[in-house]
Amino acid sequence: MEQLFYYLKVSWFSIKRAPLPYMLTVLILSLGLGVFFSNATFYYRMNSDPLPDKSDKLFFPMMMLVPYQCSDCKAPPVLSYSNVAKLAASDIPSARAAMYSADGYLRQHAAQPPTPVTVRITQRDFFSMFDVPLLHGTIWPDNQARDELLLSKATAEKILGRTDVVGQQLLLDDRLFTIIGVLDDWQMLPKLYDAYNRQYLNPAEDIYLPLESGYDYNYLSNNNSSTYDDADYRKLATDGRTKAIHQLQYWVQLDTPAQQQAYRQFMANLVTDEKAAGRHPSPEANQLVMLRDIVRYFGGESADIKAFAIVTLLFLLVSVFNASHLSLNRYLSNQYEFSLRRALGANRSQLQMQLLVDMGLMSTFTLAGAAVIAYGCTKLMNSLWPANRLFASWDVQLMLALAVLTLFCSYLVTLYPSLRASFGSLNKQLKE
Amino acid sequence: MPLHLLFKSLQRRKVVTTLLLVQLAMTFALLLNSILLAQQTRQQLQQPTGLPLQQTLQVQLKPTTVALRQYPALGDLLTRQLEAIRTVPGVVAVAYSNQGPLLYGGNNGNVHDPDREELSKANGVPLYTVSADFFNVLQLPPLAGELPQNEIAVDGLAKSPVVITQSLANKVFDDKPAVGRQVNRGPVAAVVADFYGQRSAGTVNYNAIQVAPLYGVDWGYSILLRTEHGSTDKVRQALPQVLQQVDSNIEIFYIRTLAEQQQRLYSNEFGLASLLSLLSALMLLVSMISSYSNAYFHTLKHQQEIGIKRALGASKSRIFTELLSENWLTTVLGATAGVGCALVLNQVLAQVISIPSLSWWLPLLTYTVLLLCVTVATWYPATIATRISPATATKAL
């Protein structure tokens, strides 16, 4: 320990002797690491798997069940009510849920000003498929229409001031609904069950309503809806259930490869049946996309973050080269001191130890600087790309990654100078 | 100083020179691609929209009660809102619309000539249902035909006449006169000049407009108004109160000028261009520090050598030029390697974002910027070198 303090003291004296080059080295390395880390945070979070145990078991089936003919079209990203009914006819999936999102206005009573809310209109399996935690109450016992809703914890606290509100009634778009459940803190990020149109960047919804009630009360999708034929999208309760109004996402849980294969076969058989009935004029274009692949399938990956990731990596490299350059100049200036110590009996391993302590000290300063710069850069990125703001948070794992990266970069920066200082020719160095 | 001697001098510091060259090459590559991206964003923001951007305000709003979202209550609400806005000083014209222009996506569908559907079909055309003053607000006089004056429901027995933009008319009717002919949505009443509709559409200038009651407002609707020069801010401030006084059961999502709307349409590109510009500036700074440090350290290490040169008759200006020349040579070498790096980076970026390819004059501009920065960074160490006295040479003896 005493030796360590000695090395630290020598390092400190060395810094004090020429503080500007040292500060510049630390600053440049901090800049490179900070900028790289802030973008890496977004990149890592956006590409993380929110359901690692299930992301290879949940699938989004899509088919060309549309009333037009197209030979090279991809299957539509949303399904009609009747499409879902056909896909739900199979008992192969362990769980299944159709869903979409809509907007609404919530209030306790007519005299209160309304609060805008987002509504997920779905079926009961949604909660088990996506591991949605329940704090109070229950989920609907079946998929029938009912004037019952579930609230997110934040919405319950915002509207009613507390979470234990099961049994109370609320006005959603002037219709009375009973609260049957309140969710616990839950934020699926990225929100992969709603990946189309980059909706996966948005927070989870405030309210959950049964699908049948959503159709009865004519809630239109706020994300994507397409109407074909003479269907009137203002008549969801009638036209919505029978005609080609596409607005539903549909997820199935297929736990084993055998189930997945069987469901693919079921979809292929369905195409054959529909073609025979004259309802599938286009060639087969079935898709069964895994949850973890859904963003890529819809082409919704954040290109800006990806492009900036390439550039920040380049910047980090430049910073490391620059810091190495400065570090080398600094060591060359101090070479006489190293040589003198070697001449006085210090062996190479002792000099290496000294350089390791130098590196540790530099890593500490750099880590602090990088954290500050990364914080500022994250704020800047949030203001320039507000849609990504939910992905800006750090956790212990990310901080540890930054620490390891800082240590590695500091090591790289000091590696060559330390080798040169320790292994150069002593006579030559003393002459210089 | 002859070129071969400059190279020899650089060779004496192989590692330091290599590090500097790599940095300069990467800085050059990033700087060049940042300029490209910034230039592209600027072009996107400056492309003609055919709209009075500064004087037009768009209010996006939605009734908060179910009753107000349906006719006849909705019709009454719209009439009262438009009347109230007309009384605001500075308002020239006002209209409602199911959606505004300059959007990424929205309400759209295909438009085609029913007699030759496959050949004439234009997909993803923004479909507007508007009040008659829409054309006056957006300053879109008819190029052919007459603008409809009465609202006719789009789902009524009689087809609501359609107004289409010039480029859509050319596409659907193959450059032949469109007025009086039928498209799948109704008879063409007029053709107006092109304006920017939706970015997600194949061609941003395709638009189809029908003067009709709003079909549905579950996604909200827009009130568009044109203001007198210099009145936009005052009108904008007055609008929330005016609209709330008409009926408080509304949610106003935003009030923006079309210029702000256009800016938002390219906000992602603007964000990336801003971040890359910032990063380029940082990289230039880092390169300047590197050049400074390189020159300064070189001066310190070679004081005796410089002293000898001075003693042998080298003038101060020669020493100064010598030091600058070394750094210029490094910069030129680094930047030349940077052209290759820039091409690679451009290709890599083109796989993820839309970025134009390099033009011949951009590397020249980037060379100039880099040389200027390096010169500024090296100036002070070079000045120090000129102050080294010829007497320093005696220390070598």
Side-chain angles (χ1 to χ4, degrees):
Chain A
M1 188 54 87
E2 200 177 318
Q3 194 65 22
L4 180 68
F5 281 122
Y6 169 73
Y7 287 137
L8 278 170
K9 204 169 152 186
V10 171
S11 288
W12 185 243
F13 279 129
S14 166
I15 295 167
K16 273 170 66 179
R17 203 164 41 234
L20 188 65
Y22 190 82
M23 274 166 58
L24 283 176
T25 312
V26 170
L27 175 73
I28 286 167
L29 209 51
S30 302
L31 269 175
L33 282 163
V35 172
F36 176 78
F37 181 69
S38 59
N39 190 68
T41 303
F42 286 97
Y43 191 83
Y44 166 77
R45 292 234 172 269
M46 282 181 178
N47 290 290
S48 63
D49 187 345
L51 286 174
D53 298 335
K54 276 190 175 171
S55 59
D56 58 344
K57 297 185 178 78
L58 298 175
F59 291 85
F60 193 134
M62 282 168 273
M63 299 176 76
M64 277 296 287
L65 288 170
V66 281
Y68 58 82
Q69 192 171 4
C70 181
S71 53
D72 54 354
C73 290
K74 278 174 90 174
V78 277
L79 307 166
S80 70
Y81 185 92
S82 56
N83 290 170
V84 167
K86 286 167 190 164
L87 283 166
S90 163
D91 57 2
I92 299 164
S94 323
R96 74 212 73 169
M99 62 189 82
Y100 66 103
S101 61
D103 295 316
Y105 292 97
L106 190 69
R107 53 182 132 193
Q108 257 184 292
H109 47 79
Q112 196 184 39
T115 304
V117 286
T118 51
V119 190
R120 177 127 303 254
I121 295 166
T122 186
Q123 295 175 313
R124 62 167 278 120
D125 279 356
F126 168 81
F127 300 93
S128 61
M129 286 168 81
F130 296 101
D131 291 349
V132 186
L134 202 62
L135 183 64
H136 298 295
T138 56
I139 293 156
W140 316 296
D142 52 44
N143 287 331
Q144 299 300 309
R146 54 188 75 240
D147 292 346
E148 294 171 349
L149 52 77
L150 288 101
L151 295 178
S152 71
K153 190 179 170 185
T155 309
E157 283 169 346
K158 186 177 173 186
I159 304 284
L160 300 158
R162 58 200 173 85
T163 58
D164 190 8
V165 291
V166 173
Q168 287 202 33
Q169 292 191 312
L170 286 174
L171 283 170
L172 177 64
D173 289 310
D174 308 330
R175 299 178 194 102
L176 208 55
F177 283 83
T178 304
I179 304 166
I180 62 155
V182 176
L183 306 188
D184 207 343
D185 285 321
W186 181 63
Q187 189 66 269
M188 184 175 172
L189 283 178
K191 199 176 71 174
L192 294 184
Y193 60 78
D194 193 6
Y196 192 67
N197 267 349
R198 293 169 59 85
Q199 293 295 311
Y200 69 95
L201 300 174
N202 292 337
E205 289 76 9
D206 305 313
I207 284 182
Y208 299 82
L209 207 65
L211 185 80
E212 298 301 328
S213 305
Y215 268 66
D216 285 347
Y217 295 135
N218 213 68
Y219 277 99
L220 290 172
S221 166
N222 61 5
N223 179 11
N224 182 22
S225 73
S226 304
T227 309
Y228 308 101
D229 290 342
D230 57 346
D232 185 343
Y233 65 74
R234 296 169 301 180
K235 295 175 185 164
L236 270 189
T238 51
D239 282 17
R241 286 190 167 104
T242 54
K243 293 184 178 174
I245 296 176
H246 288 239
Q247 63 168 6
L248 289 173
Q249 300 146 338
Y250 185 57
W251 287 95
V252 290
Q253 184 169 337
L254 303 164
D255 296 314
T256 63
Q259 270 182 310
Q260 292 157 22
Q261 185 52 39
Y263 199 76
R264 278 195 183 91
Q265 189 55 50
F266 162 74
M267 288 169 72
N269 294 342
L270 185 56
V271 171
T272 312
D273 293 347
E274 290 293 303
K275 274 186 179 296
R279 290 190 296 259
H280 195 302
S282 304
E284 180 184 319
N286 292 353
Q287 293 288 342
L288 192 61
V289 185
M290 210 182 276
L291 182 77
R292 65 166 66 136
D293 298 331
I294 195 73
V295 173
R296 200 177 316 125
Y297 177 79
F298 286 139
E301 288 174 295
S302 188
D304 301 318
I305 294 286
K306 225 173 181 178
F308 199 51
I310 297 166
V311 173
T312 52
L313 183 64
L314 197 72
F315 183 58
L316 178 61
L317 280 175
V318 169
S319 301
V320 169
F321 280 119
N322 192 286
S324 305
H325 180 194
L326 288 172
S327 178
L328 182 59
N329 282 349
R330 202 171 140 260
Y331 276 97
L332 290 178
S333 304
N334 292 343
Q335 196 160 309
Y336 186 79
E337 181 192 317
F338 276 95
S339 308
L340 200 62
R341 284 167 71 180
R342 277 179 68 190
L344 291 173
N347 59 32
R348 280 175 180 152
S349 65
Q350 282 171 325
L351 287 183
Q352 286 288 304
M353 191 53 74
Q354 176 65 60
L355 290 161
L356 273 178
V357 171
D358 277 1
M359 186 198 81
L361 207 58
M362 180 186 273
S363 299
T364 311
F365 292 137
T366 306
L367 184 61
V372 172
I373 289 162
Y375 179 77
C377 196
T378 305
K379 289 271 174 205
L380 177 68
M381 287 174 77
N382 272 342
S383 69
L384 288 171
W385 290 324
N388 301 339
R389 69 193 181 284
L390 289 176
F391 298 84
S393 61
W394 295 347
D395 56 17
V396 178
Q397 208 177 345
L398 269 170
M399 290 305 290
L400 275 176
L402 174 64
V404 170
L405 188 65
T406 306
L407 211 61
F408 177 69
C409 289
S410 302
Y411 181 70
L412 279 183
V413 163
T414 48
L415 180 65
Y416 179 72
S418 69
L419 288 175
R420 191 152 160 181
S422 314
F423 293 96
S425 156
L426 187 58
N427 285 341
K428 197 179 160 198
Q429 286 176 4
L430 283 170
K431 270 186 202 168
E432 284 182 7
Chain B
M1 194 174 183
L3 202 59
H4 73 277
L5 288 180
L6 284 175
F7 273 112
K8 216 168 186 177
S9 170
L10 293 180
Q11 270 182 344
R12 280 194 301 180
R13 296 167 282 146
K14 281 192 204 79
V15 178
V16 171
T17 306
T18 311
L19 287 172
L20 196 59
L21 284 177
V22 172
Q23 281 177 61
L24 286 166
M26 286 182 175
T27 306
F28 185 89
L30 184 64
L31 195 60
L32 213 149
N33 281 285
S34 297
I35 295 172
L36 262 183
L37 210 67
Q39 194 190 14
Q40 180 184 253
T41 309
R42 193 167 157 269
Q43 278 168 359
Q44 282 170 334
L45 287 170
Q46 286 187 340
Q47 67 179 303
T49 60
L51 297 164
L53 297 178
Q54 301 295 343
Q55 299 95 53
T56 312
L57 283 168
Q58 182 187 342
V59 188
Q60 187 67 23
L61 69 166
K62 183 179 171 181
T64 56
T65 66
V66 177
L68 268 180
R69 280 179 231 150
Q70 291 162 350
Y71 281 91
L74 176 61
D76 177 54
L77 174 71
L78 290 169
T79 308
R80 284 186 292 130
Q81 284 177 332
L82 297 189
E83 275 173 8
I85 292 173
R86 276 190 201 104
T87 62
V88 177
V91 172
V92 177
V94 58
Y96 68 73
S97 173
N98 62 329
Q99 60 189 345
L102 292 162
L103 293 176
Y104 188 83
N107 192 337
N108 54 49
N110 67 60
V111 173
H112 58 83
D113 176 355
D115 296 334
R116 37 195 287 279
E117 182 176 339
E118 283 309 309
L119 288 171
S120 65
K121 191 186 273 182
N123 290 317
V125 177
L127 305 171
Y128 303 84
T129 43
V130 303
S131 58
D133 267 348
F134 176 85
F135 305 98
N136 184 13
V137 173
L138 298 184
Q139 294 184 307
L140 297 167
L143 300 176
E146 280 184 26
L147 295 173
Q149 296 303 316
N150 301 314
E151 292 170 10
I152 299 173
V154 290
D155 58 341
L157 287 175
K159 287 270 187 183
S160 176
V162 185
V163 177
I164 55 178
T165 47
Q166 179 77 66
S167 55
L168 180 61
N170 291 344
K171 158 76 184 166
V172 175
F173 298 109
D174 219 5
D175 295 328
K176 294 189 180 81
V179 175
R181 297 180 69 178
Q182 290 282 332
V183 291
N184 55 322
R185 304 201 174 263
V188 177
V191 175
V192 291
D194 284 343
F195 67 92
Y196 195 121
Q198 290 173 8
R199 195 179 164 184
S200 63
T203 307
V204 295
N205 287 327
Y206 287 176
N207 294 288
I209 307 126
Q210 284 170 294
V211 175
L214 291 174
Y215 190 61
V217 293
D218 289 276
W219 295 299
Y221 61 96
S222 300
I223 292 178
L224 294 159
L225 55 139
R226 187 157 52 83
T227 60
E228 288 167 359
H229 280 284
S231 308
T232 311
D233 285 340
K234 276 185 185 165
V235 173
R236 188 208 294 247
Q237 281 166 14
L239 280 174
Q241 201 184 349
V242 169
L243 288 167
Q244 288 291 339
Q245 276 171 358
V246 171
D247 198 317
S248 59
N249 291 310
I250 53 161
E251 182 189 4
I252 299 173
F253 298 111
Y254 58 79
I255 302 174
R256 292 182 196 136
T257 62
L258 290 187
E260 290 164 352
Q261 185 63 27
Q262 189 199 22
Q263 186 81 25
R264 288 180 72 90
L265 198 55
Y266 292 100
S267 60
N268 271 357
E269 285 83 354
F270 180 76
L272 186 61
S274 305
L275 285 170
L276 286 190
S277 303
L278 178 71
L279 215 57
S280 299
L282 286 174
M283 268 178 134
L284 271 180
L285 180 74
V286 165
S287 295
M288 283 172 80
I289 291 172
S290 224
S291 298
Y292 169 84
S293 148
N294 185 42
Y296 189 75
F297 183 73
H298 178 67
T299 308
L300 285 184
K301 283 288 267 185
H302 298 93
Q303 284 191 54
Q304 288 170 356
E305 193 184 311
I306 295 168
I308 291 168
K309 280 181 185 171
R310 292 277 288 118
L312 291 175
S315 66
K316 282 185 175 185
S317 64
R318 189 189 164 91
I319 298 291
F320 185 79
T321 316
E322 212 171 83
L323 218 93
L324 279 185
S325 304
E326 264 189 45
N327 277 281
W328 286 336
L329 180 62
T330 320
T331 310
V332 169
L333 290 176
T336 307
V339 176
C341 290
L343 281 169
V344 173
L345 182 63
N346 187 262
Q347 292 298 311
V348 174
L349 286 176
Q351 285 173 12
V352 249
I353 51 167
S354 154
I355 185 167
S357 47
L358 301 179
S359 55
W360 65 269
W361 60 270
L362 264 179
L364 288 179
L365 175 75
T366 319
Y367 263 115
T368 315
V369 172
L370 211 55
L371 271 174
L372 198 73
C373 288
V374 167
T375 308
V376 170
T378 325
W379 200 273
Y380 178 65
T383 313
I384 292 176
T386 60
R387 288 186 203 143
I388 293 170
S389 155
T392 315
T394 55
K395 287 181 188 171
L397 301 173

